[in-house]
Amino acid sequence: MTQIVDTGTMQPAQAPAPEGQGTGAFRTFVRQLMRSKTGFLGFCVFALMVLICLIGPMFTPNDLPTNTNLIYGPASWSHPFGFDSEGRDVLIQVIDGGRAVILVGFLAALISTVIAVVFGALAAYLGGRVDSIIVTATDIVLTVPSIILLAVLAAFYRVGDSITLAVILGVLGWPGLLRAVRAQVFSLKQREYIEAARLLDLGTGRIVIREILPNMASFILMNFVIGMTNAIYAMAGLYLLGLAPMQGDNWGIMINFAWTRGAIFFDGSLGYILGPVLSICILQLSLVTMARSFEEILNPRLRHN
């Protein structure tokens, strides 16, 4: 159960080997993460942004005061991103809006990953009619353009909160990963230890959960991060196009307001436009670099290369 042979573009993976007796798993993980400067930097930036977005709103006012004298006011040391169309501080809005973005990205990636892993593994392991039904359903969902479906859903159903939006994005984001998981399990189910588990009649659930899925940890983790980045892009795109209700605070709403309220025509509004855009870019870049380091940690062959 310590090996995995990937198909396609994926590489054979192993569980990380212990490095030195008496060293804790966490310290070993951190030391391996620090081998890649960009990956460690991405991890630190991501952790810092999550910390600021989760704790920061506790120290900001619930109702941000408006000031007509400061509309599109320029950036300064005390207000690094300046002011918006209502004279409100943009930095505080960036801090308040990050929580919803991270929450939607995490929940959507979690939902899509769970759906893809569970049904992809069952389809490959059980085969036959179960595999045919799941693959057919996957092909149907793949043929539907997500952005058009989201637009139709937005027209008939009012997405009132971040959790509902995360569920919708998660439910629509699993088909590609399901096919990849299915291919992985098809390869692993031919292994000797899986055949031995079958002969011992350990049961489908135990074989899939305890013998097959642990060998796909790096692959699942990588796709979870990719799913999170895709969900954040989808969320920002929905708000930018006005397909989601402009309620609450998040970076997508800020970009939409900056666009629809003509911020580009004012000299002092550069920070208002760039604040949420840079926040999304930095968050996504930190996720990608962090994911690359995680993959190297979980896949020794990549480290050797």
Side-chain angles (χ1 to χ4, degrees):
M1 202 176 63
T2 58
Q3 290 185 339
I4 174 174
V5 177
D6 300 340
T7 60
T9 58
M10 287 167 289
Q11 301 293 328
Q14 292 181 335
E19 295 190 359
Q21 295 181 353
T23 303
F26 179 75
R27 292 181 59 187
T28 303
F29 176 79
V30 173
R31 190 165 59 245
Q32 291 177 342
L33 184 63
M34 293 178 66
R35 288 176 176 172
S36 171
K37 294 181 180 178
T38 55
F40 184 67
L41 179 61
F43 173 77
C44 293
V45 171
F46 177 74
L48 182 62
M49 292 188 72
V50 171
L51 192 64
I52 292 175
C53 293
L54 293 182
I55 299 179
M58 299 179 184
F59 301 96
T60 58
N62 293 328
D63 295 322
L64 199 58
T66 60
N67 189 340
T68 55
N69 296 322
L70 296 175
I71 290 177
Y72 293 132
S76 62
W77 286 107
S78 56
H79 306 281
F81 290 133
F83 297 87
D84 68 355
S85 58
E86 298 179 2
R88 301 180 302 172
D89 188 279
V90 175
L91 177 60
I92 295 178
Q93 295 181 61
V94 170
I95 294 174
D96 292 343
R99 178 187 291 182
V101 175
I102 295 174
L103 176 64
V104 169
F106 179 82
L107 284 181
L110 181 64
I111 292 172
S112 61
T113 302
V114 169
I115 293 174
V117 170
V118 171
F119 288 98
L122 289 178
Y125 185 78
L126 297 178
R129 184 171 298 178
V130 175
D131 183 43
S132 300
I133 294 174
I134 293 176
V135 170
T136 302
T138 304
D139 292 340
I140 292 174
V141 177
L142 277 174
T143 58
V144 179
S146 298
I147 189 66
I148 296 178
L149 182 58
L150 287 171
V152 173
L153 288 176
F156 292 96
Y157 181 74
R158 189 173 183 82
V159 182
D161 57 85
S162 300
I163 295 178
T164 304
L165 179 60
V167 171
I168 293 175
L169 293 176
V171 169
L172 296 176
W174 54 267
L177 178 58
L178 185 143
R179 280 195 162 276
V181 170
R182 177 172 170 268
Q184 289 284 291
V185 177
F186 264 131
S187 173
L188 288 173
K189 67 183 290 187
Q190 308 300 327
R191 299 286 170 180
E192 290 81 2
Y193 70 91
I194 298 298
E195 292 293 337
R198 284 178 176 169
L199 293 176
L200 292 174
D201 195 21
L202 296 182
T204 300
R206 179 173 178 177
I207 294 174
V208 172
I209 295 174
R210 300 187 61 178
E211 303 297 334
I212 294 179
L213 293 184
N215 283 318
M216 302 169 59
S218 61
F219 175 70
I220 294 173
L221 178 61
M222 282 295 301
N223 281 276
F224 175 82
V225 175
I226 294 173
M228 191 170 176
T229 59
N230 291 337
I232 292 174
Y233 279 134
M235 176 188 179
L238 283 176
Y239 281 105
L240 176 62
L241 297 175
L243 299 178
M246 301 298 160
Q247 299 176 351
D249 296 317
N250 67 62
W251 298 337
I253 292 178
M254 293 180 65
I255 296 173
N256 180 282
F257 284 169
W259 174 259
T260 57
R261 296 178 180 179
I264 58 174
F265 300 108
F266 296 87
D267 296 334
S269 62
L270 183 62
Y272 182 35
I273 300 172
L274 292 182
V277 174
L278 287 178
S279 300
I280 292 176
C281 293
I282 294 174
L283 178 63
Q284 300 287 56
L285 184 61
S286 66
L287 280 170
V288 172
T289 55
M290 183 179 66
R292 286 177 55 188
S293 290
F294 283 172
E295 188 178 21
E296 292 179 0
I297 292 173
L298 296 170
N299 192 338
R301 183 167 294 185
L302 292 178
R303 290 204 303 270
H304 298 324
N305 292 332

